Coordinates of all heavy atoms in Angstrom, one line a residue:
I62 N 59.7 -4.7 46.3 CA 60.0 -3.8 45.2 C 61.0 -4.4 44.3 O 62.1 -4.9 44.8 CB 60.4 -2.4 45.6 CG1 59.4 -1.7 46.5 CG2 60.8 -1.5 44.4 CD1 59.8 -0.3 47.0
E63 N 60.8 -4.5 43.0 CA 61.8 -5.1 42.1 C 61.8 -4.3 40.8 O 60.8 -3.7 40.4 CB 61.4 -6.6 41.8 CG 60.1 -6.8 41.2 CD 59.8 -8.3 41.0 OE1 60.6 -8.9 40.2 OE2 58.8 -8.8 41.5
E64 N 62.9 -4.3 40.2 CA 63.1 -3.6 38.9 C 62.5 -4.5 37.8 O 62.7 -5.7 37.8 CB 64.5 -3.3 38.6 CG 64.8 -2.4 37.4 CD 66.2 -2.1 37.2 OE1 66.9 -2.0 38.3 OE2 66.7 -1.9 36.1
I65 N 61.8 -3.9 36.8 CA 61.1 -4.6 35.7 C 61.4 -3.9 34.4 O 61.9 -2.8 34.4 CB 59.6 -4.7 36.0 CG1 59.0 -3.4 36.0 CG2 59.3 -5.6 37.2 CD1 57.5 -3.4 36.0
E66 N 61.1 -4.6 33.4 CA 61.1 -4.0 32.0 C 59.8 -3.4 31.7 O 58.7 -4.1 31.8 CB 61.5 -5.1 31.0 CG 62.9 -5.6 31.1 CD 63.9 -4.6 30.8 OE1 63.7 -3.7 30.0 OE2 65.0 -4.6 31.5
K67 N 59.7 -2.1 31.3 CA 58.5 -1.4 31.0 C 58.8 -0.4 29.9 O 59.6 0.5 30.2 CB 57.8 -0.8 32.2 CG 56.4 -0.3 32.0 CD 55.8 0.2 33.3 CE 54.4 0.6 33.2 NZ 54.1 1.7 32.3
E68 N 58.3 -0.5 28.8 CA 58.6 0.5 27.7 C 58.0 1.9 27.9 O 58.7 2.9 27.7 CB 58.1 -0.1 26.4 CG 58.9 -1.4 25.9 CD 58.4 -1.8 24.5 OE1 57.7 -1.0 23.9 OE2 58.9 -2.9 24.1
N69 N 56.7 1.9 28.2 CA 56.1 3.2 28.3 C 56.1 3.8 29.7 O 56.1 3.1 30.7 CB 54.6 3.1 27.8 CG 54.5 2.6 26.4 OD1 55.4 3.0 25.6 ND2 53.6 1.8 26.1
R70 N 56.1 5.1 29.8 CA 56.1 5.8 31.1 C 54.6 5.6 31.6 O 53.7 5.3 30.9 CB 56.4 7.3 30.9 CG 55.3 8.0 30.1 CD 55.6 9.5 30.1 NE 54.6 10.2 29.4 CZ 54.5 11.5 29.3 NH1 55.5 12.3 29.8 NH2 53.5 12.1 28.7
G71 N 54.5 6.0 32.9 CA 53.1 5.9 33.5 C 53.0 4.8 34.6 O 54.0 4.1 34.9
T72 N 51.8 4.7 35.1 CA 51.6 3.7 36.2 C 50.4 2.8 35.9 O 49.4 3.3 35.4 CB 51.3 4.5 37.5 OG1 52.5 5.3 37.8 CG2 51.1 3.5 38.7
K73 N 50.6 1.6 36.2 CA 49.5 0.6 36.1 C 49.3 -0.1 37.5 O 50.2 -0.6 38.1 CB 49.8 -0.5 35.1 CG 48.8 -1.6 34.9 CD 49.2 -2.6 33.9 CE 48.2 -3.8 33.8 NZ 48.7 -4.8 32.9
I74 N 48.0 0.0 38.0 CA 47.7 -0.7 39.2 C 46.8 -1.9 39.0 O 45.8 -1.8 38.3 CB 47.0 0.3 40.2 CG1 47.8 1.6 40.4 CG2 46.6 -0.4 41.5 CD1 47.1 2.6 41.2
S75 N 47.2 -3.0 39.5 CA 46.4 -4.2 39.3 C 46.2 -4.9 40.6 O 47.1 -4.7 41.5 CB 47.0 -5.2 38.2 OG 48.3 -5.5 38.6
F76 N 45.2 -5.7 40.8 CA 45.0 -6.4 42.1 C 44.2 -7.7 41.9 O 43.5 -7.9 40.9 CB 44.3 -5.4 43.1 CG 43.2 -4.7 42.5 CD1 41.9 -5.2 42.3 CD2 43.4 -3.3 42.0 CE1 40.9 -4.5 41.8 CE2 42.4 -2.6 41.5 CZ 41.1 -3.2 41.3
K77 N 44.3 -8.5 42.9 CA 43.5 -9.8 43.0 C 42.4 -9.6 44.0 O 42.7 -9.4 45.2 CB 44.4 -10.9 43.3 CG 43.7 -12.3 43.4 CD 44.7 -13.4 43.8 CE 43.9 -14.7 43.9 NZ 44.8 -15.8 44.4
L78 N 41.2 -9.6 43.5 CA 40.0 -9.4 44.5 C 39.8 -10.6 45.4 O 40.1 -11.8 45.0 CB 38.7 -9.2 43.7 CG 38.6 -7.8 42.9 CD1 37.5 -7.9 41.9 CD2 38.5 -6.7 43.9
K79 N 39.3 -10.3 46.6 CA 38.9 -11.4 47.5 C 37.7 -12.2 46.9 O 37.0 -11.6 46.1 CB 38.6 -10.8 48.9 CG 39.8 -10.2 49.6 CD 39.4 -9.7 50.9 CE 40.6 -9.1 51.6 NZ 40.2 -8.5 53.0
D80 N 37.6 -13.4 47.3 CA 36.5 -14.2 46.7 C 35.1 -13.6 47.0 O 34.2 -13.7 46.1 CB 36.5 -15.6 47.3 CG 37.7 -16.4 46.8 OD1 38.3 -16.1 45.8 OD2 38.1 -17.4 47.5
D81 N 34.9 -12.9 48.1 CA 33.6 -12.4 48.4 C 33.5 -10.9 47.9 O 32.5 -10.2 48.3 CB 33.3 -12.4 49.9 CG 34.4 -11.7 50.7 OD1 35.4 -11.3 50.2 OD2 34.1 -11.5 52.0
Q82 N 34.4 -10.4 47.2 CA 34.4 -9.1 46.6 C 34.5 -9.0 45.1 O 34.9 -8.0 44.5 CB 35.5 -8.2 47.2 CG 35.5 -8.2 48.8 CD 34.4 -7.4 49.3 OE1 33.7 -6.6 48.6 NE2 34.0 -7.6 50.6
K83 N 34.1 -10.1 44.5 CA 34.3 -10.2 43.0 C 33.4 -9.2 42.3 O 33.6 -9.0 41.1 CB 34.0 -11.7 42.6 CG 35.0 -12.7 43.0 CD 36.4 -12.4 42.4 CE 37.4 -13.4 42.9 NZ 37.2 -14.8 42.5
E84 N 32.4 -8.7 42.9 CA 31.5 -7.8 42.3 C 32.2 -6.5 41.7 O 31.8 -5.9 40.8 CB 30.3 -7.3 43.2 CG 30.8 -6.5 44.4 CD 29.6 -6.0 45.2 OE1 28.5 -5.9 44.6 OE2 29.8 -5.6 46.4
F85 N 33.3 -6.2 42.4 CA 34.1 -5.0 41.9 C 34.8 -5.2 40.6 O 35.5 -4.3 40.1 CB 35.1 -4.6 43.0 CG 34.4 -4.0 44.2 CD1 34.2 -4.7 45.4 CD2 33.9 -2.7 44.2 CE1 33.6 -4.2 46.5 CE2 33.3 -2.2 45.3 CZ 33.1 -2.9 46.4
A86 N 34.7 -6.5 40.1 CA 35.2 -6.7 38.7 C 34.2 -6.5 37.7 O 34.5 -6.6 36.5 CB 35.8 -8.1 38.7
D87 N 32.9 -6.3 38.1 CA 31.8 -6.1 37.2 C 31.8 -4.7 36.6 O 31.9 -3.8 37.4 CB 30.5 -6.5 37.8 CG 30.4 -8.0 38.2 OD1 31.1 -8.8 37.6 OD2 29.7 -8.3 39.2
D88 N 31.5 -4.6 35.4 CA 31.4 -3.3 34.7 C 30.4 -2.3 35.4 O 30.7 -1.2 35.7 CB 31.1 -3.4 33.3 CG 32.2 -3.9 32.4 OD1 33.3 -4.2 33.0 OD2 32.1 -3.9 31.2
W89 N 29.2 -2.9 35.7 CA 28.2 -2.0 36.3 C 28.6 -1.5 37.6 O 28.2 -0.3 38.0 CB 26.9 -2.8 36.4 CG 26.9 -3.9 37.5 CD1 27.3 -5.2 37.3 CD2 26.6 -3.7 38.9 NE1 27.2 -5.9 38.5 CE2 26.8 -5.0 39.5 CE3 26.2 -2.7 39.7 CZ2 26.6 -5.2 40.8 CZ3 26.0 -2.9 41.0 CH2 26.2 -4.1 41.6
K90 N 29.3 -2.3 38.4 CA 29.7 -1.8 39.8 C 30.8 -0.7 39.6 O 30.7 0.3 40.3 CB 30.3 -3.0 40.6 CG 30.7 -2.6 42.0 CD 29.4 -2.3 42.8 CE 29.7 -2.1 44.3 NZ 28.5 -1.8 45.1
V91 N 31.8 -0.9 38.8 CA 32.8 0.1 38.6 C 32.2 1.4 38.0 O 32.5 2.5 38.5 CB 33.9 -0.4 37.6 CG1 35.0 0.7 37.4 CG2 34.5 -1.7 38.2
K92 N 31.3 1.3 37.1 CA 30.7 2.5 36.5 C 29.9 3.2 37.5 O 29.9 4.5 37.6 CB 29.8 2.0 35.3 CG 30.5 1.6 34.1 CD 29.6 1.1 33.0 CE 30.3 0.5 31.8 NZ 29.3 0.0 30.8
S93 N 29.1 2.5 38.4 CA 28.3 3.2 39.4 C 29.1 3.9 40.4 O 28.8 5.0 40.8 CB 27.4 2.2 40.1 OG 28.2 1.3 40.9

């Protein structure tokens, strides 16, 4: 955990997908 600069309130979640799970970056998969 580290302190950062962030202007707006709220939460952003980001992640690095495993090589064999890249389909979860596709629009159609997320939409489904």
